[in-house]
Amino acid sequence: MGVDKEDTKSKSATTEFVEPKGKKKRSADDNRMEVEVINGVEGKIKSHGTSKRARTVEGCEQRKVSVPAHRYTPLKENWMKIFSPIVEHLQLQIRFNLKTRNVELRTSPETPDIANLQKGADFVKAFIYGFEVEDALALLRLDNLFVETFEIQDVKRLKGDHLSRAIGRLAGKGGRTKFTIENVTKTRVVLADSKVHILGSFENIQLARRAICNLILGSPPSKVYGQLRNVASRVSERF
């Protein structure tokens, strides 16, 4: 009889349903990605969730961004536009080292999150690459934004006049082709000699890079415009 009582107790314990603690069902709204366009650059809105606690900075972390000679004057003219968001928004310390010709960023005791240091370095790098300050600021305001760099020689081996004509095809008359690619793909493009810098979200960078590569390989701009128009219509239907 003692064995039967123990069996009934174990069965009743196993049949009782215990609700797991600490697990909540995710609503459909949690998975929805909010997209915003700032100064023509599309990206994901920064999430300001209270559940994630900001990591406090201990010690002193530092980043250095080298400045080429042709960017000294633009850096000097736009220094306050770069200085203000880094110090006020990211709570970082910044200076330009005249000896090493580097922009140096450093965390301070007031820095709320160590990730701000990398954001500040990406912001300064984007400006050094040739982007406008207003466009580079999107890296601080929006999530899911990147800067991709590649050379025309990586796509096709070109030399002399052939390389010059390829750069001319990318820019277009009065910069029309470059502006069209930027507006359709919601990115920003910088043509620096034989290098191409693209700022935008991952999907939009793919679209812009495909159009630029087609132009480098010799496709006429009218054909690239048609492909971009088709892609833009599909993207608008998706959203």
Side-chain angles (χ1 to χ4, degrees):
M1 290 297 289
V3 175
D4 294 338
K5 286 182 180 178
E6 289 179 359
D7 291 341
T8 54
K9 283 182 181 179
S10 61
K11 285 181 181 179
S12 62
T14 54
T15 53
E16 287 180 1
F17 176 76
V18 180
E19 186 177 358
K21 295 181 181 180
K23 290 186 178 180
K24 295 181 181 179
K25 291 184 178 180
R26 296 179 66 184
S27 61
D29 295 336
D30 294 341
N31 297 325
R32 187 175 58 196
M33 185 181 74
E34 296 183 3
V35 176
E36 186 180 352
V37 178
I38 292 181
N39 203 31
V41 181
E42 187 182 65
K44 184 181 174 184
I45 298 176
K46 284 187 178 291
S47 57
H48 298 284
T50 56
S51 59
K52 289 186 178 179
R53 185 180 298 174
R55 290 171 291 174
T56 56
V57 180
E58 295 180 0
C60 181
E61 295 286 334
Q62 190 174 1
R63 294 284 188 280
K64 293 181 181 180
V65 181
S66 61
V67 182
H70 69 280
R71 295 300 290 172
Y72 292 161
T73 304
L75 182 67
K76 184 178 178 181
E77 292 174 352
N78 296 279
W79 179 252
M80 287 309 299
K81 293 181 181 178
I82 297 171
F83 179 87
S84 299
I86 286 180
V87 174
E88 296 173 6
H89 179 63
L90 299 180
Q91 302 289 322
L92 296 173
Q93 296 175 354
I94 181 172
R95 72 172 183 176
F96 180 64
N97 193 324
L98 293 171
K99 291 183 178 180
T100 60
R101 301 290 186 180
N102 289 334
V103 175
E104 298 178 354
L105 295 96
R106 191 173 67 177
T107 57
S108 66
E110 292 79 18
T111 306
D113 192 350
I114 197 169
N116 289 357
L117 186 61
Q118 188 60 46
K119 289 178 186 175
D122 292 340
F123 167 58
V124 175
K125 274 184 186 176
F127 177 78
I128 298 301
Y129 285 154
F131 293 101
E132 296 290 333
V133 178
E134 291 76 14
D135 298 333
L137 273 172
L139 289 166
L140 304 182
R141 296 177 180 172
L142 297 175
D143 278 334
N144 199 28
L145 284 188
F146 308 95
V147 176
E148 181 164 334
T149 302
F150 64 94
E151 291 201 23
I152 295 176
Q153 302 283 359
D154 298 337
V155 181
K156 189 178 182 181
R157 291 285 180 182
L158 298 172
K159 293 180 181 179
D161 292 340
H162 298 288
L163 180 60
S164 302
R165 281 194 290 270
I167 297 172
R169 279 199 304 274
L170 294 181
K173 186 177 180 180
R176 191 182 305 165
T177 303
K178 183 175 82 77
F179 293 146
T180 302
I181 294 174
E182 288 178 342
N183 293 333
V184 172
T185 59
K186 292 185 175 60
T187 57
R188 285 291 176 264
V189 179
V190 169
L191 303 176
D193 197 14
S194 63
K195 289 186 178 180
V196 181
H197 309 290
I198 308 174
L199 185 150
S201 64
F202 180 76
E203 295 82 5
N204 295 341
I205 286 177
Q206 298 269 24
L207 299 176
R209 186 176 59 189
R210 191 175 298 121
I212 290 171
C213 290
N214 289 337
L215 287 170
I216 294 172
L217 293 172
S219 296
S222 58
K223 184 178 180 181
V224 176
Y225 288 162
Q227 293 171 348
L228 283 174
R229 199 176 298 115
N230 294 335
V231 168
S233 62
R234 286 202 300 269
V235 170
S236 61
E237 288 174 2
R238 190 190 310 167
F239 287 104

